[in-house]
């Protein structure tokens, strides 16, 4: 089985990073290394990571710093470039991996056919989590069928073969204006380079639905990143815009639900 490194970019993630790392430590098949890349955090992110390192000194967790520039792209790049595994897992600081995630990733890449893979997510702070994960899986499988050559990658739950990463690394968009989806940019460059991207329903990760707490204008900017990314590569296939419709469709009801839920918790406290 190929070795798997896990890269976790982090910026002011004190509230969630320990839960993320503890889920990694509990994997049934351990990752060969875990690289947390801090990007100028002003809270207790680094201290939280260090606590987990001290508790699990054999887990292979390393804390790196990317202070040159604020932004996800340079932070991600530093971690992916520093990783030594044959497969590079890429998750977010609020991702909580299922215990068999590394095992599933190793299985997908074992035959040497696929170059990158994503899986479904379970929103652990929304109601009906299991049903939500099943719906998420069905929607993502539908998106794969619509995507044609440009199968998506999802930054909260993805992995890339190290040699494929090195092949596209110099061509990835720098996105200094911070208006694109960096994970989608990776997928596009892999596809343009003839690399094969898969979707695996068994590669499940939990993540927060905190994006739904954004104000409508900010959420719209987030969704517009799909269009900005495809436009930057002159890709005009309307079928690839399906995720935009899904996000915009579910946002109003779930945004209101989370606001009511937050107000209820505040009253009870």
């Amino acid at each position: 089985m190929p070795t798997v490194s896990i890269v976790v970019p982090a910026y002011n993630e004190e509230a969630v990073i320990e839960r993320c790392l503890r889920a990694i430590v509990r994997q049934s098949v351990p990752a060969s290394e875990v690289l947390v890349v801090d990007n100028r955090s002003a809270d207790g992110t680094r201290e939280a990571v260090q606590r987990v390192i001290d508790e699990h000194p054999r887990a292979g967790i390393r804390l790196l710093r990317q202070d040159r520039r604020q932004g996800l792209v340079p932070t991600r790049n530093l971690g992916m470039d520093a990783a030594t595994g044959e497969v590079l897992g890429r998750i977010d600081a609020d991702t909580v991996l299922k215990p068999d995630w590394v095992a599933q990733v190793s299985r997908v890449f074992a035959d040497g056919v696929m170059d990158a893979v994503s899986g479904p997510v379970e929103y652990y702070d929304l109601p009906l989590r299991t049903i939500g994960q099943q719906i998420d899986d069905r929607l993502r499988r539908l998106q794969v069928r619509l995507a044609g050559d440009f199968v998506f990658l999802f930054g909260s739950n993805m992995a890339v073969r190290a040699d494929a990463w090195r092949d596209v690394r110099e061509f990835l968009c720098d996105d200094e204006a911070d208006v694109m989806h960096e994970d989608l940019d990776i997928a596009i460059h892999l596809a343009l380079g003839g690399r094969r991207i898969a979707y695996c329903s068994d590669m499940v990760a939990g993540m927060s639905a905190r994006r739904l707490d954004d104000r409508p204008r900010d959420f719209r900017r987030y969704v517009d990143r799909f269009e900005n990314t495809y436009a930057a590569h002159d890709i005009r296939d309307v079928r690839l815009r399906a995720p935009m419709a899904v996000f915009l469709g579910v946002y109003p009801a779930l945004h209101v639900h989370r606001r009511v839920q937050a107000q209820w918790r505040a009253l009870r406290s």
Side-chain angles (χ1 to χ4, degrees), residues 1-264:
M1 290 293 188
T3 56
V4 178
S5 299
I6 299 179
V7 177
V8 189
Y11 169 65
N12 287 349
E13 299 288 7
E14 176 185 9
V16 295
I17 191 68
E18 286 192 63
R19 185 178 182 183
C20 171
L21 294 177
R22 294 186 195 286
I24 294 174
V25 170
R26 292 194 296 267
Q27 291 294 297
S28 59
V29 174
S32 62
E33 62 181 351
V34 183
L35 307 180
V36 181
V37 188
D38 179 68
N39 180 210
R40 302 180 177 179
S41 292
D43 65 354
T45 296
R46 290 187 294 275
E47 291 78 7
V49 174
Q50 190 60 51
R51 280 195 296 272
V52 181
I53 292 174
D54 293 342
E55 291 174 16
H56 302 278
R58 297 175 183 266
I61 303 172
R62 288 196 285 152
L63 177 59
L64 309 179
R65 297 182 64 163
Q66 194 284 111
D67 295 332
R68 181 178 61 85
R69 193 182 101 202
Q70 193 74 59
L72 177 55
V73 169
T75 305
R76 173 206 69 193
N77 289 350
L78 189 146
M80 300 284 273
D81 291 343
T84 60
E86 295 166 277
V87 174
L88 312 181
R90 151 80 169 89
I91 64 174
D92 289 332
D94 66 342
T95 299
V96 179
L97 299 177
K98 293 295 184 179
D100 65 343
W101 189 86
V102 171
Q104 294 292 349
V105 170
S106 296
R107 179 183 62 80
V108 170
F109 287 97
D111 60 7
V113 173
M114 289 301 164
D115 297 299
V117 64
S118 272
V121 295
E122 176 187 274
Y123 293 95
Y124 52 70
D125 49 6
L126 285 180
L128 304 175
R129 289 168 50 176
T130 301
I131 295 174
Q133 187 255 307
Q134 293 170 354
I135 294 172
D136 181 88
D137 179 47
R138 289 191 180 97
L139 288 173
R140 292 183 190 279
R141 283 190 276 131
L142 174 61
Q143 291 170 23
V144 169
R145 289 198 294 271
L146 294 173
D149 293 332
F150 297 103
V151 177
F152 66 89
L153 287 172
F154 185 43
S156 295
N157 182 12
M158 60 174 275
V160 181
R161 195 177 296 280
D163 64 330
W165 165 258
R166 289 189 289 268
D167 278 356
V168 301
R169 168 68 170 83
E170 65 178 299
F171 305 108
L172 297 176
C173 296
D174 196 42
D175 191 25
E176 285 197 63
D178 191 24
V179 296
M180 298 167 60
H181 279 309
E182 52 84 25
D183 46 4
L184 190 57
D185 178 62
I186 295 175
I188 290 171
H189 283 282
L190 287 170
L192 292 173
R195 293 289 186 163
R196 291 151 297 187
I197 301 174
Y199 176 78
C200 176
S201 294
D202 296 324
M203 185 178 136
V204 183
M207 68 171 288
S208 172
R210 56 184 176 172
R211 176 67 65 182
L212 294 168
D213 298 331
D214 288 354
R215 295 175 300 177
R217 181 181 299 177
D218 294 332
F219 190 81
R220 179 69 206 208
R221 289 197 190 100
Y222 169 77
V223 173
D224 284 344
R225 288 173 177 265
F226 286 98
E227 185 64 41
N228 297 338
T229 308
Y230 287 126
H233 299 87
D234 198 29
I235 297 172
R236 305 183 184 279
D237 190 337
V238 295
R239 296 174 300 172
L240 297 173
R241 275 67 176 178
M244 298 178 64
V246 172
F247 280 121
L248 291 174
V250 302
Y251 169 77
L254 292 177
H255 177 70
V256 171
H257 169 79
R258 287 178 65 82
R259 289 189 65 182
V260 170
Q261 202 175 41
Q263 291 170 358
W264 176 246

